[in-house]
Amino acid sequence: MANSNSNPEPSPSDLLEWYDRHARVLPWRVSPQNRALGEVPDPYRVWLSEIMLQQTTVATVKSYFEKFTSLWPSINDLARADREDVLKAWAGLGYYSRARNLKACADIVVEQYGGKFPETVAGLKELPGIGDYTASAIATIAFDQPAAVVDGNVERVLSRIFTVEEAMPKAKKTIKEYQSRLTPLNRAGDYAQAMMDLGATICTPKNPACSLCIWWGDCAAFKLGTQENFPVKAPKKVKPTRYGWAFVAVRADGAVLLRTRPDKGLLGGMTEVPGTSWGEEKPKSPFASAPFQAGWSKRCGVIHHTFTHFHLEVEVVTSMFPMEQAPAKNCWWSAMEDVPDEALPTLMNKMLEAALPGVTKPKL
């Protein structure tokens, strides 16, 4: 593929030299110094981090990664874990299909592959929850396979260097071709991580530190002063709003009524507050979906939450029930001290906090 500008090609070896000095210290990463001493990445830790980092920031993932690896230090430990415990540990990290696929993938790797991950992109893509990007990242970082790894940081760096005029996501194909051409056969894993670090710390979305960039002389956007124009983004689509009601039932001893969402669909398999379905019109008869036909006289406000494809507004109501009140169908009473350890997504925590401030906080 011909270079779209007259700049010289950026040098992967220059980037690797920069990485050797400035690599970020991350709990799942083997430093370039330790790699030079013969330490190799643990495919389990690479896989776990890449799954967690999908749609989530490094800052958020660090604590979850450390919690998971303390609970389940190896793929065999995770395969032996109860799925409900995995979902509980994942609660708050979002995109919950990742947690279900994480457990399913661990089971398959242990049962069918003897606890060892496939080393190729094609082999990795056969596993649950591993798509093209994640397979490339694992193959490259864990096994040093020279696959083209392109995340948001890499897209930003290369779209600026080569002034890629196509709008995202159409530009992804062109950017991947550039990355494939630049990825070296030697130290491919370090190169991929170096590109991520360059985008995360130097070639940032706003106010990039171009004077510190090892590739500034090769960057067409820098020469034009148009760095922040790249990558070119397509106009955002307007997100629709959906509406629903949530019913926070509280027993006399403070226990809260909860249930499990179906495996398929949004927040699948996670714990929830009973409520109506979510639709583009406000429910006309919301109390028909209540777990008990009680007063539900106390309104606790409206919760606003945004998912990838829509905004959500949920009216929260609550009511108290006597100790002898049996749980509604497919529900259970969760003792107040147990609520923080339930597999509750952030949205459900918001609902509970609206009705019972402090109930989702761990008791010290």
Side-chain angles (χ1 to χ4, degrees):
M1 179 178 58
N3 195 332
S4 64
N5 53 68
S6 58
N7 289 343
E9 192 91 346
S11 167
S13 61
D14 288 345
L15 181 64
L16 285 166
E17 288 178 13
W18 172 84
Y19 178 71
D20 288 342
R21 298 191 303 272
H22 301 289
R24 288 180 293 174
V25 177
L26 300 172
W28 48 84
R29 176 181 285 181
V30 175
S31 70
Q33 292 76 21
N34 286 346
R35 285 295 299 270
L37 294 173
E39 183 178 349
V40 296
D42 180 351
Y44 169 67
R45 294 172 71 87
V46 174
W47 162 73
L48 181 60
S49 67
E50 287 298 333
I51 298 298
M52 287 185 168
L53 286 165
Q54 293 170 5
Q55 308 292 327
T56 311
T57 65
V58 167
T60 299
V61 163
K62 283 182 179 179
S63 61
Y64 280 90
F65 179 86
E66 288 167 350
K67 176 169 64 175
F68 262 74
T69 51
S70 66
L71 290 170
W72 306 293
S74 72
I75 189 75
N76 291 289
D77 296 317
L78 186 57
R80 285 192 292 267
D82 184 83
R83 194 185 81 152
E84 183 64 19
D85 290 335
V86 175
L87 291 174
K88 286 179 179 180
W90 192 277
L93 195 53
Y95 298 90
Y96 294 98
S97 62
R98 294 182 298 169
R100 300 194 302 275
N101 285 329
L102 192 81
K103 179 65 172 98
C105 184
D107 293 345
I108 290 173
V109 170
V110 169
E111 292 169 7
Q112 299 182 21
Y113 294 86
K116 297 187 181 297
F117 282 87
E119 298 187 9
T120 65
V121 171
L124 288 161
K125 286 172 68 174
E126 294 294 320
L127 298 173
I130 299 183
D132 185 62
Y133 164 77
T134 305
S136 297
I138 297 169
T140 302
I141 297 169
F143 303 113
D144 233 16
Q145 300 285 333
V149 181
V150 181
D151 69 352
N153 289 310
V154 176
E155 288 172 352
R156 188 164 57 255
V157 171
L158 294 182
S159 67
R160 289 172 174 175
I161 287 175
F162 294 104
T163 54
V164 178
E165 299 288 352
E166 291 175 286
M168 300 296 289
K170 286 186 177 180
K172 287 179 180 288
K173 183 175 182 291
T174 299
I175 292 169
K176 188 168 184 177
E177 289 172 357
Y178 281 126
Q179 178 71 327
S180 180
R181 192 169 76 194
L182 290 172
T183 299
L185 294 177
N186 185 37
R187 297 187 66 189
D190 282 349
Y191 168 79
Q193 293 173 105
M195 285 289 282
M196 295 173 188
D197 282 11
L198 188 68
T201 64
I202 302 294
C203 195
T204 52
K206 300 293 182 183
N207 301 314
C210 298
S211 62
L212 301 178
C213 181
I214 195 71
W215 280 349
W216 68 268
D218 305 314
C219 182
F222 171 72
K223 292 180 178 180
L224 295 170
T226 59
Q227 302 93 308
E228 293 190 18
N229 294 345
F230 298 94
V232 179
K233 297 180 180 178
K236 289 185 177 180
K237 295 181 179 179
V238 177
K239 293 182 180 181
T241 299
R242 297 180 185 174
Y243 304 90
W245 282 54
F247 302 95
V248 179
V250 185
R251 203 169 59 183
D253 63 348
V256 178
L257 191 73
L258 300 173
R259 68 185 182 192
T260 301
R261 291 179 66 85
D263 269 359
K264 291 186 177 180
L266 198 61
L267 307 181
M270 300 301 290
T271 301
E272 73 168 351
V273 175
T276 67
S277 59
W278 304 332
E280 293 187 4
E281 293 184 2
K282 294 184 178 181
K284 294 180 180 178
S285 304
F287 296 107
S289 298
F292 307 119
Q293 298 307 306
W296 301 108
S297 58
K298 185 178 179 182
R299 294 196 174 189
C300 307
V302 176
I303 296 300
H304 298 268
H305 192 82
T306 297
F307 291 102
T308 305
H309 300 298
F310 65 93
H311 301 293
L312 179 65
E313 293 184 10
V314 179
E315 176 87 31
V316 179
V317 294
T318 186
S319 188
M320 296 290 295
F321 296 88
M323 286 296 297
E324 62 270 18
Q325 180 72 52
K329 184 179 180 182
N330 298 324
C331 296
W332 70 91
W333 290 110
S334 180
M336 183 172 286
E337 62 269 19
D338 294 335
V339 169
D341 295 321
E342 296 281 6
L344 290 160
T346 300
L347 170 62
M348 302 304 161
N349 279 328
K350 288 182 180 180
M351 296 174 183
L352 288 171
E353 284 291 323
L356 301 166
V359 72
T360 64
K361 304 294 190 295
K363 303 299 184 288
L364 301 177

